[in-house]
């Protein structure tokens, strides 16, 4: 009954919005996304957060394009949807590992969409080399671990040596 009720509310909301505004079918993405987000908020199932944020962000971007924004507004909306996954997850489950992964595709989409939206110079050709430099710097700044020959495991540089084998 709850699922049928939610579907009916969603369909009714889409019909009301399309009948009372100049928006069309692009509203469906936002309504679907908001439905997933509501389901996530009530259940805390991470699998509902991902489509909820992505569909909502993409839907907002598609609506913006339909209202006259540049085509890259769709990519911006999608990128912000990915970023919303990380933000919402960080707030709702602060100790969860791996919360940051949506920032990678989200950041790429946001940065790639900025030139046509803001008039900044095209950054596309510089993204991959810049990402490689940043990743290299981060790897160099990480605490070093050295391999222990007797066990074949990594250990911290200040850790005591393992006991000898008998």
């Amino acid at each position: 009954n709850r699922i049928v009720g939610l579907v009916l509310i969603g369909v009714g909301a889409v019909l009301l919005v399309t009948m009372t505004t100049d928006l069309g079918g692009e509203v469906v993405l936002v309504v679907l996304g908001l439905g997933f987000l509501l389901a996530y908020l009530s259940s805390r199932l991470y699998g509902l957060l991902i489509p909820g944020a992505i569909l909502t962000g993409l839907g907002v971007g598609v609506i913006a394009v339909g209202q006259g924004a540049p085509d890259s507004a769709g990519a911006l909306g999608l990128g912000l949807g990915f970023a919303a996954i990380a933000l919402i997850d960080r707030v709702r489950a602060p100790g969860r590992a791996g919360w940051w992964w949506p920032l990678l595709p989200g950041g790429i989409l946001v940065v790639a969409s900025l030139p046509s939206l803001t008039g900044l110079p095209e950054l596309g050709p510089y993204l991959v080399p810049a990402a490689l430099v940043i990743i290299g710097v981060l790897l160099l700044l990480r605490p070093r671990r050295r391999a222990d020959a007797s066990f074949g495991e990594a250990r911290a540089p200040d850790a005591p040596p393992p006991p000898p084998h008998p």
Side-chain angles (χ1 to χ4, degrees):
N1 285 344
R2 288 184 188 195
I3 293 174
V4 173
L6 290 173
V7 168
L8 290 174
I9 290 170
V11 170
V14 168
L15 291 174
L16 283 172
V17 169
T18 57
M19 290 171 47
T20 58
T21 67
D22 60 343
L23 298 175
E26 61 266 25
V27 175
V28 172
L29 291 174
V30 174
V31 171
L32 284 173
L34 291 175
F36 276 108
L37 288 175
L38 287 173
Y40 166 74
L41 291 174
S42 67
S43 68
R44 291 189 182 226
L45 291 174
Y46 186 71
L48 297 171
L49 172 61
I50 297 169
I54 290 173
L55 287 172
T56 303
L58 180 60
V60 169
V62 168
I63 289 172
V65 170
Q67 297 297 311
D71 288 343
S72 60
L76 177 65
L78 182 58
L80 293 175
F82 273 103
I85 295 169
L87 176 68
I88 294 168
D89 187 38
R90 190 72 174 155
V91 169
R92 297 275 299 190
R96 198 174 84 69
W99 64 270
W100 53 268
W101 75 264
L103 295 176
L104 298 177
I108 291 169
L109 287 164
V110 168
V111 169
S113 66
L114 287 180
S116 66
L117 293 172
T118 62
L120 293 173
E122 184 66 40
L123 301 175
Y126 305 105
L127 288 178
V128 171
L132 292 174
V133 169
I134 291 169
I135 291 170
V137 168
L138 292 174
L139 287 174
L140 290 175
L141 294 176
R142 265 179 52 180
R144 293 179 55 178
R145 298 175 68 92
R146 63 176 184 228
D148 184 343
S150 63
F151 288 112
E153 298 175 355
R155 64 183 177 101
D158 57 344
H165 283 292

